[in-house]
Amino acid sequence: MTQPPYPPDQPPPPPGSGGQPPYGGSQPQGGQPYGSQSPYGSQPGQQPYGGGSMPPQFGGMQPPYSPMDALTYGWQLFTKNVGPFMIITAVMLVISMAISFGTNLATTGSLLGTGSTIDPVTGLPENYLLHQLISLMTSFVSGLISWVLGLALVRGALDVVDTGRTDLGAMFTRIPWGQALLAGIIVMIVTFVGTLMCILPGIVAAYLLYYTNMAVLDGESGVDGIVASFNFTTKNVGPTLLLALLAILIIIVSLCTLGLALLVTVPVLSIAAAYTWRVLQGRPVTPAPA
C-alpha cells in the first residue's frame, strides 16, 4: 500500500507550495529548494573565486614620465648593449675628427688650422677660395657619414627600447633611406634658414624637429615625419624641453673630457630620447634591467 505524502488527518498542502510537507523542516530562505546550488556558489554571469578570469590588474600601466627616469633608463639599457653602441659612436667620432684634421692639414699645413699665411693685399689667407671649396666638400662628406651613422644609432636606440637588445648589423637595417634623406634635407634647410634669422629660430627648429628620424623609422614618410615631430614636441613641451636642456649640459661636460665621454653619453642620450618618444605617446617599452 502506498504511503500518502502527508498524514491522513492533515489537509493537503495549499497549491503552489511545491508539495513540501509543513512539518519536519522549513523552506530555505530565499525560496531556494533543497538540493539545488548554494546561493554562495557560482551564479550565472559570475566567476567563482579561485577560478576563471581574475579582475583586471593595474600593474601594467606606464609610470609617469620623467626626464631623469629617461636618462636612467638610457644608462641601464646602454650597459646591456655596450658593444654596438660604443663601436658606432667611436666610428662616428673618429671619422669626424680625421676629416677635420685632414682638411686643416691640407689647407693650412697644420692639424689645428693655424698655419695659413695671410695675403697682405686682401687680408685673407692665401688660396682662400680653394681652402673654402675643400672645406665645403669635406664638410659635406663628414656630414653625410655622420647622418648615416646617426640614423643607425637611432635605429639601435628604438630597437633597444622595444626589445631590450640590438646588434651592429641590425642597426643598419629597416631604414627607409629615401624618406630619411628627404626629411634630413628639409630639416637641414629649415634649421639653416632659422639660424640665419638671428640664430634663435634655428635652435627652435632643431628642437621641434629633433624626433623626425624616429618618426620616419617608425614608418612615416619624410614630410609626415617632420609633422609628427613638430606635433610631438609642441604637445609635450615641458618634458621634451627639459630633456633637451639636460642633454646639452651633459654634452658640454663630456666635451671637457676631450670628447672621450661622448662614447657613453651619445648612446645614453639616444636611448633616452627613444624612451621619451615611446612613453609620451603611450606606447610600451621593454622594462629596464634590475
Side-chain angles (χ1 to χ4, degrees):
M1 183 174 179
T2 304
Q3 182 72 21
Y6 47 86
D9 57 344
Q10 295 287 338
S17 64
Q20 298 294 332
Y23 58 91
S26 60
Q27 185 82 357
Q29 294 183 359
Q32 188 77 13
Y34 289 105
S36 63
Q37 180 68 32
S38 167
Y40 298 99
S42 300
Q43 300 296 322
Q46 295 180 340
Q47 289 289 346
Y49 291 106
S53 301
M54 296 299 293
Q57 303 295 319
F58 297 94
M61 296 179 63
Q62 293 276 29
Y65 174 83
S66 165
M68 292 304 299
D69 289 342
L71 294 173
T72 302
Y73 182 91
W75 167 255
Q76 292 173 327
L77 270 293
F78 167 72
T79 57
K80 298 298 181 182
N81 298 270
V82 174
F85 279 111
M86 288 201 71
I87 290 174
I88 200 168
T89 306
V91 171
M92 186 186 303
L93 294 176
V94 169
I95 290 178
S96 178
M97 293 175 60
I99 291 177
S100 177
F101 290 153
T103 301
N104 291 336
L105 188 62
T107 56
T108 67
S110 170
L111 289 177
L112 300 179
T114 59
S116 58
T117 303
I118 303 299
D119 188 337
V121 177
T122 62
L124 297 174
E126 292 182 350
N127 300 322
Y128 177 75
L129 293 180
L130 178 61
H131 294 174
Q132 291 301 308
L133 179 60
I134 293 175
S135 297
L136 182 62
M137 293 176 60
T138 54
S139 296
F140 173 78
V141 173
S142 176
L144 181 61
I145 294 174
S146 296
W147 173 75
V148 171
L149 297 177
L151 269 176
L153 192 67
V154 174
R155 175 74 275 167
L158 288 173
D159 286 346
V160 162
V161 170
D162 291 338
T163 67
R165 59 187 179 85
T166 189
D167 58 68
L168 197 58
M171 295 171 82
F172 290 91
T173 62
R174 293 162 293 122
I175 298 177
W177 296 105
Q179 294 299 324
L181 180 60
L182 174 62
I185 293 174
I186 296 175
V187 170
M188 181 183 65
I189 293 174
V190 172
T191 305
F192 177 74
V193 172
T195 303
L196 293 179
M197 300 169 59
C198 301
I199 300 179
L200 182 59
I203 298 175
V204 173
Y207 159 70
L208 293 175
L209 305 182
Y210 177 78
Y211 294 89
T212 297
N213 284 337
M214 294 187 188
V216 172
L217 292 180
D218 274 347
E220 300 284 356
S221 66
V223 175
D224 290 341
I226 292 173
V227 174
S229 177
F230 178 86
N231 291 336
F232 176 75
T233 49
T234 53
K235 290 178 181 178
N236 301 281
V237 173
T240 56
L241 182 58
L242 181 56
L243 179 65
L245 294 175
L246 290 173
I248 293 173
L249 179 61
I250 291 172
I251 290 175
I252 292 175
V253 174
S254 299
L255 292 175
C256 296
T257 64
L258 300 179
L260 295 177
L262 294 175
L263 294 172
V264 174
T265 56
V266 169
V268 169
L269 292 174
S270 298
I271 299 172
Y275 172 88
T276 301
W277 173 252
R278 287 283 188 260
V279 172
L280 291 182
Q281 288 181 323
R283 300 169 65 177
V285 297
T286 188

